[in-house]
Amino acid sequence: MKIDKVTDLYNKCIANTYSRYPVVLVKGRGIKVWDSEGKEYYDFVSGIAANNLGHCHPQITNALKKQAGELIHVSNLYYTLPQMEMAKLLTKKSFADKVFFCNSGAEANEAAIKLARKYSKDNYGNDRYEIITMHQSFHGRTIATISATAQEKFHKGFEPLLAGFRYVPYNDLSAVEKAINGRTCAIMVEPIQGEGGVNIPHRDYLKGLREICFSKRLLLIFDEVQTGMGRTGKFFAYEHFGISPDIMTLAKSLGGGVAIGSMLARAEVAKSFIPGSHASTFGGNPLSCAAGVAAIKAVDKGVLSHCKRMGNYFMRRLKKLKDKYSFIKDVRGMGLMIGMELSFPARGITEECLKRGFLINYTADKILRFIPPLTVATKDIDRLVNVLDEVFKETVNKGTVPVK
Ligand SMILES: *Cc1c(COP(=O)(O)O)cnc(C)c1O
């Protein structure tokens, strides 16, 4: 099918909420995808950090095939085996004792916000419900989660927002301390900010938040929707910092590319959820949990150490580009969650890379973001860095960027 026919039908029938790249993807294997005209691409976007094992990883595909022939969905009126298996794995791998399953990151954060409020009301009375969140954060697109997200561009046109959030600068402990009052019940933060521009916390920040939460009896909520499942080189990003939260949310790569989200909590906190408190028709359905179980098992020690090695290699190569081009302001990252800050909007660069057969992504306008499968090889990274070098060189030659 010709691309124009697809884009015409999209324009006619699909809500206009995305600015898509002009390519129809029809097939994927590992780090590669192909479009409807047979052109091959290297995928450094991974469905926005959701396919951390690459496309059609055999363990995920086989688990789905098997489960699809057994049982796809029955609702949470009944017990099912894949949900049990997945909860067992998640609680074994994390600080948490209990899991609530849903279908996306926004829903996972909705569950976290509800649990934090309920726990606080159960333990400290009705007037304690405020959650402190950070500038440049991103927690999803529902009304509650845009309210938690401290970026005005996500609020515009949807006011009034949900009450009960206070925003403070990221990486600033004293701002958090000043924002705490008698109504505060929790602090919610991404260990590494994703959509906000791949922002890395300073060494003592998360530990500092942990201490504040202990001393003020607040819940610490980590949104690991993007950083979880091995993305940063540890299974969960919090493991880098020697502390753990009270509540954590996961989605994106949790199902190896299949839609599933979850909210995890310590037993003492989770007990504020009782039958009737919260629910999801599809949450934890057998099909998505079968994929999730396979995905969790596939992200083993070998994949984690590979991710760390490839992340270091990738950063080194990108930093060499930074030495060469003065419009590259910063290269930062952890594992295979890497950002390159430019001094100009990054969309044009991603479009040039697409033409050359590379899917890369940008966020917060000026930040190129690299979130390849954790199984990416050095030769894939070399290919991309060479293409970036070529695109940057051309951009300079065309005189379209300000060069110092
Ligand atoms: C993507 C993302 C979300 C939202 O997830 P959806 O599945 O799109 O609802 C929430 N938090 C973070 C940190 C994310 O990266």
Side-chain angles (χ1 to χ4, degrees):
M1 189 178 278
K2 282 273 172 254
I3 171 126
D4 289 352
K5 193 157 178 199
V6 178
T7 55
D8 284 352
L9 268 168
Y10 260 68
N11 290 336
K12 206 169 143 200
C13 311
I14 291 186
N16 185 27
T17 56
Y18 305 100
S19 35
R20 298 175 202 267
Y21 293 95
V23 48
V24 181
L25 298 173
V26 294
K27 189 181 160 100
R29 283 288 180 284
I31 195 170
K32 291 183 184 173
V33 288
W34 290 268
D35 72 12
S36 51
E37 280 153 24
K39 183 175 167 186
E40 180 179 287
Y41 301 82
Y42 287 86
D43 182 2
F44 281 74
V45 178
S46 310
I48 315 186
N51 304 318
N52 66 356
L53 297 157
H55 294 277
C56 297
H57 187 284
Q59 274 164 265
I60 307 286
T61 300
N62 289 335
L64 280 168
K65 279 185 185 161
K66 186 159 173 279
Q67 190 60 45
E70 296 282 335
L71 186 69
I72 292 176
H73 174 69
V74 290
S75 88
N76 285 301
L77 297 172
Y78 312 99
Y79 295 89
T80 57
L81 299 177
Q83 185 173 145
M84 172 196 80
E85 195 62 35
M86 187 161 179
K88 203 167 77 186
L89 285 170
L90 283 174
T91 51
K92 194 168 149 220
K93 282 200 163 285
S94 73
F95 70 92
D97 307 299
K98 300 271 188 164
V99 186
F100 174 83
F101 285 108
C102 52
N103 312 286
S104 68
E107 281 177 72
N109 287 328
E110 288 270 351
I113 292 163
K114 283 181 72 174
L115 180 61
R117 284 186 173 193
K118 182 72 162 39
Y119 173 83
S120 189
K121 280 169 202 254
D122 288 351
N123 289 280
Y124 305 102
N126 271 335
D127 300 329
R128 204 171 172 277
Y129 56 84
E130 269 184 13
I131 299 176
I132 295 174
T133 63
M134 310 306 157
H135 293 172
Q136 286 105 42
S137 55
F138 183 78
H139 298 297
R141 297 293 206 128
T142 62
I143 285 287
T145 56
I146 62 170
S147 303
T149 296
Q151 296 194 65
E152 268 174 31
K153 68 174 178 190
F154 296 113
H155 300 163
K156 265 196 134 136
F158 302 106
E159 301 89 348
L161 298 182
L162 180 69
F165 294 95
R166 281 172 84 87
Y167 311 138
V168 300
Y170 183 66
N171 248 338
D172 183 343
L173 288 173
S174 70
V176 170
E177 272 170 339
K178 277 187 211 132
I180 293 169
N181 60 43
R183 292 183 301 279
T184 313
C185 75
I187 297 172
M188 181 168 177
V189 64
E190 297 152 82
I192 297 167
Q193 291 186 326
E195 304 306 299
V198 190
N199 302 318
I200 316 287
H202 64 65
R203 205 155 29 92
D204 303 323
Y205 179 60
L206 297 170
K207 205 175 213 171
L209 291 181
R210 179 68 277 180
E211 280 159 16
I212 291 169
C213 286
F214 276 142
S215 75
K216 307 273 185 188
R217 294 166 182 256
L218 308 175
L219 294 175
L220 182 59
I221 305 170
F222 280 173
D223 178 345
E224 291 230 26
V225 167
Q226 189 160 154
T227 53
M229 293 295 284
R231 177 55 54 191
T232 67
K234 300 239 188 224
F235 202 85
F236 302 110
Y238 74 78
E239 296 172 52
H240 290 286
F241 302 96
I243 46 120
S244 59
D246 302 299
I247 298 175
M248 170 170 72
T249 55
L250 301 171
K252 294 219 159 81
S253 278
L254 185 58
V258 175
I260 183 168
S262 70
M263 191 258 328
L264 291 83
R266 298 183 193 284
E268 208 268 313
V269 178
K271 75 179 194 296
S272 283
F273 266 6
I274 54 171
S277 294
H278 199 40
S280 167
T281 299
F282 283 118
N285 68 78
L287 192 69
S288 63
C289 284
V293 166
I296 293 167
K297 287 182 177 164
V299 180
D300 57 15
K301 278 205 182 89
V303 168
L304 293 177
S305 66
H306 181 79
C307 167
K308 223 174 285 177
R309 269 202 317 281
M310 291 303 105
N312 290 337
Y313 179 75
F314 205 166
M315 291 265 284
R316 271 205 308 281
R317 295 236 36 200
L318 292 174
K319 280 181 174 160
K320 283 205 185 116
L321 286 183
K322 178 173 177 281
D323 295 338
K324 200 163 157 187
Y325 299 101
S326 62
F327 58 76
I328 301 174
K329 295 294 157 203
D330 193 21
V331 172
R332 52 186 182 253
M334 223 173 184
L336 285 165
M337 184 169 174
I338 300 175
M340 173 185 262
E341 184 170 344
L342 307 180
S343 66
F344 56 90
R347 174 103 189 172
I349 302 293
T350 65
E351 286 169 351
E352 285 303 316
C353 287
L354 181 79
K355 285 185 200 156
R356 291 165 170 81
F358 287 82
L359 307 186
I360 61 167
N361 165 254
Y362 69 99
T363 187
D365 195 36
K366 293 179 180 167
I367 292 136
L368 291 173
R369 178 171 45 170
F370 307 100
I371 37 181
L374 309 186
T375 49
V376 67
T378 50
K379 62 180 191 304
D380 305 325
I381 294 169
D382 290 342
R383 283 188 183 102
L384 172 69
V385 173
N386 293 341
V387 162
L388 274 174
D389 195 5
E390 196 181 297
V391 170
F392 287 155
K393 207 179 300 166
E394 250 177 46
T395 312
V396 172
N397 288 342
K398 275 194 257 164
T400 46
V401 293
V403 188
K404 275 201 303 226

